[in-house]
Amino acid sequence: METSRTQRAYRFRFYPTPGQENLLRRTLGCVRLVYNKALALRSETWTREQRNVSYRDTSKALTGWKKSEGLAFLNDVSCVPLQQALRHLQTAYSSFFNHTGDFPAFKRKAHGGSATFTRYAFTWDGCKRHLKLAKMKEPLRVIWSRTLPVKAVPSSVTISLDAAGRWHVSILVEEHVKPIPRTDTRIGVDMGVDFLAALSDGEKIPNPRFRKRNAKRLGKAQRNLARKQKGSRNYEKARLKVARIQAQGADRRKDFLHKLSTRIIRENQTVVLEDLAVRNMCRKAAPKEDRAHPGRYLPNGRAAKRGLNRSITDAGWRMFRTMLEYKAAWYGRQLIVIDRWYPSSQICSHCGKNNGKKPLNVRAWTCPYCHTTHDRDVNAAKNILAAGLAVNVCGDGRKHHNN
């Protein structure tokens, strides 16, 4: 079985010394400043002159910023992360114009930050597993919780600080991934809220609801934060406590989705998903206007939608799909995504008749044509699998679904 070469990132926790932390925090601050100034320059130039500012223009502007008196401190940190920040901004603009991402936003200090060091800005000793960044005298104290590939040579290193005050290093290496043995098993997956996923073989994956588990602790911490004065030390302590509770839930969610996606990819040769518009489903619902009193809006216009938003984001549908996509590419599996408008919950998986829309509170129903009783989610997963296999044969899923 032939192996494929791919770039893979390994993420580790590390604990810097006070001197290293001081340098890293200054580096993150300079990276954030350069990114925001370049974004402001490009936006203002387009607004005033209707002229595009390229990556080369921002690189020349960075040279001028370093020579100015007020920004001379940019020379105290490595120049590589600053240049990489401009490259990341260019990538963000390209994604926006290609309709694959949002318009670049300004970076905030409260969100932490990251800095990328290319090969000439760090020193790597694979035998001793020592990683030393530019302008540092000692290697970082990294907790090697995973094993790196043998003779791995990192192409880039990204240092990040999250909102909870934790330091992480992401090491990008080129790895030979060996596909796992083929299997004849195929599965359809229907994503939900009550159950995270229903599989076409009848299995239903419970929704862990990690946000609900920490709801009381998080609410208490947020109320405590609201009573603090912004800018004070007590405010920063309370903010860190809120961020750590949120980070704990995010880590648990990611760990659960990694294990679930790996199991599904390993056990099935073909996986079929529905193309859900998660972003549209999570948008805030506009309040409904009261027809009896023009200009007034009904009080419950946002409440129901907000509750659904929290359930969807807590489930992590988009993250789960992303994991399935790159793991299927790694291990030689097939992932099929069918059209979002396919009526998977309306069709009887036994006879193929469309029985029309059903309210969300109807979790089981009986087909009036063949008198087969269905579980709503499992039936939808079976229809998704059948549609995905048809897409694989026809080669045009959207056209097949609309017809």
Side-chain angles (χ1 to χ4, degrees), residues 124-235:
W124 167 254
D125 187 347
C127 298
K128 299 180 180 180
R129 291 199 295 185
H130 283 179
L131 176 63
K132 186 168 64 174
L133 302 179
K135 295 184 180 292
M136 282 189 182
K137 298 180 180 180
E138 299 177 356
L140 297 176
R141 189 164 65 92
V142 183
I143 306 301
W144 301 103
S145 55
R146 302 174 63 186
T147 302
L148 287 173
V150 180
K151 298 181 180 179
V153 179
S155 58
S156 68
V157 170
T158 301
I159 302 297
S160 61
L161 174 67
D162 62 11
R166 303 178 301 178
W167 290 96
H168 293 91
V169 55
S170 181
I171 303 176
L172 186 65
V173 299
E174 190 177 69
E175 185 177 359
H176 295 269
V177 180
K178 184 178 180 180
I180 54 182
R182 291 181 60 87
T183 178
D184 297 330
T185 310
R186 300 169 295 185
I187 203 74
V189 183
D190 177 60
M191 306 302 297
V193 174
D194 292 336
F195 287 88
L196 178 64
L199 308 183
S200 56
D201 60 1
E203 182 183 1
K204 302 181 76 172
I205 310 297
N207 189 356
R209 300 183 185 274
F210 295 108
R211 179 176 293 171
K212 189 175 181 179
R213 292 184 184 182
N214 293 333
K216 290 185 178 180
R217 291 176 56 215
L218 181 60
K220 182 178 179 180
Q222 288 176 334
R223 289 191 296 270
N224 185 36
L225 175 63
R227 291 191 292 266
K228 306 301 180 183
Q229 183 179 359
K230 287 188 177 182
S232 63
R233 290 189 177 182
N234 287 335
Y235 179 87

Side-chain angles (χ1 to χ4, degrees), residues 297-355:
Y297 295 89
L298 299 177
N300 295 328
R302 296 179 182 268
K305 186 68 175 179
R306 182 171 63 246
L308 184 60
N309 290 349
R310 290 176 178 175
S311 299
I312 293 174
T313 55
D314 190 23
W317 292 351
R318 180 67 236 188
M319 184 185 299
F320 180 65
R321 174 177 166 177
T322 301
M323 292 178 180
L324 288 177
E325 287 175 346
Y326 70 75
K327 291 178 182 180
W330 283 352
Y331 300 116
R333 299 311 200 197
Q334 185 181 27
L335 179 67
I336 303 175
V337 181
I338 68 171
D339 187 52
R340 70 184 59 169
W341 304 113
Y342 181 73
S344 58
S345 61
Q346 303 176 22
I347 298 177
C348 172
S349 59
H350 185 264
C351 66
K353 298 290 185 179
N354 192 326
N355 297 279

Side-chain angles (χ1 to χ4, degrees), residues 187-189 270-274 335-338 384-385 387-389:
I187 203 74
V189 183
T270 302
V271 181
V272 185
L273 286 176
E274 194 174 10
L335 179 67
I336 303 175
V337 181
I338 68 171
I384 290 173
L385 175 61
L389 298 179

Side-chain angles (χ1 to χ4, degrees), residues 23-43:
L23 176 60
L24 290 176
R25 286 187 178 274
R26 285 189 289 131
T27 302
L28 296 184
C30 293
V31 168
R32 182 173 57 252
L33 175 65
V34 169
Y35 185 94
N36 290 342
K37 285 184 69 65
L39 176 57
L41 174 63
R42 299 182 71 150
S43 301

